[in-house]
Amino acid sequence: MTALQQAARWIGQARRMIFLGGAGVSTLSGIPDFRSAGGISEDFETILSHAYFMEHPAEFYSFYRRSMVHPEAKPNLVHRTLAQWERAGLLQAVITQNIDGLHQAAGSRRVLELHGSVLRNHCMNCGRAYGVEQVMKGGNPPRCACGGIVKPDVVLYGEPLDPDTWQAAEEAVAEADLMLVAGTSLRVYPAAGLLQRLRRGRLVLINREPTAMDRLCDGVIHGELQDAFAYLAQAVEGADHGGERNET
Ligand code: CNA
C-alpha cells in the first residue's frame, strides 16, 4: 500500500480529523508562497514585521498590496475537497496559516485563521472596520475618516497570535484522531508547534519538499497537492465511512 492509499484509508476511518495548511494550499490558486523557488523573493520577514509597519507604513503597503492581496484568486481543489469533507462530517476543522480567506470562499465553516485575514482591517486610532477593497484603493497608507492609519487584521512577524484562535486550534489538535498537514514548510512558530500537541491521533503530511517534522509523521507524501488531493477526494468518497458519523 502506498502512503497515499494509507492516508485515504485513515481519512475514511477518522472520527475527529483536522487539517493544518499553509501557503502551499493556495499556490494552485495563483497566490505565491514564501519559500518555494519562484515564491516571494523580497525580505518578507522584515517588511511584514510589526516594527516595519509602524515605522514605514507606506513601504509596507506597497509590498502588501502587490504581493499579499489577491482579490482575483479562487478556491482550488484542495479548498473544495476540505469543504466537502466538512459537509460530509469527516473533517472537524481547518487550521490555516493563510490569510487569503479561500477556505471560507470554498464553503468551509470551521476555519481557524492563525495569522488573521487580509479581508478584515481596522483603524488603529478609532477601531473602525474596513474591507479589503477600501484598503487596496485610496492613499498610501490607507487612512480612516478619523485620520488614523488602517491596519490589516493580519498577524505580522513580532505580533502575538489571537489567543482565542490559538486556544481553539490547540484544543482541536489535542482531540484529533487524525491530523492532515499540507502545503507548509513548518518553519513558522508557534503554528508548526501544533504538530507536537497531537496526543493520540495519526499525523499525515503532504508537501512538495521535506520538512523538519517529517520524522514525527505516521505517513509522509512528498508531491504536488493537486495530485494527492485528486486521489484523496476520489478515494475517500468511495470509502466506507462506517455509517455512524453524523452527517451535517
Ligand atoms: P511557506 O514557508 O512558503 O511553505 C510553503 C510550502 O508549501 C513549501 O514547503 C512548498 O514546497 C509547499 N508547496 C507549495 N506549493 C505546493 C504544491 N502545489 N504542492 C505541494 N506542496 C507545495 O509557507 P507556510 O505557510 O509554511 O509559511 C507560513 C507563512 C506564509 C504564513 O504566515 C502565511 O501567512 C504566509 N503566506 C500566506 C499566503 C496565503 O495566505 N495564501 C501566501 C504566502 C505566504
Side-chain angles (χ1 to χ4, degrees), residues 22-23 27 34-35 97 99-100 115 184-185 207-209 225:
T27 54
F34 277 173
R35 294 181 180 83
Q97 301 168 81
I99 55 176
D100 54 32
H115 296 159
T184 170
S185 63
N207 206 51
R208 181 183 287 150
E209 58 199 14
L225 285 183

Side-chain angles (χ1 to χ4, degrees), residues 22-33 36 76 208 224-226:
V25 169
S26 292
T27 54
L28 300 171
S29 297
I31 304 180
D33 65 9
S36 287
N76 63 55
R208 181 183 287 150
E224 296 299 309
L225 285 183
Q226 53 270 46

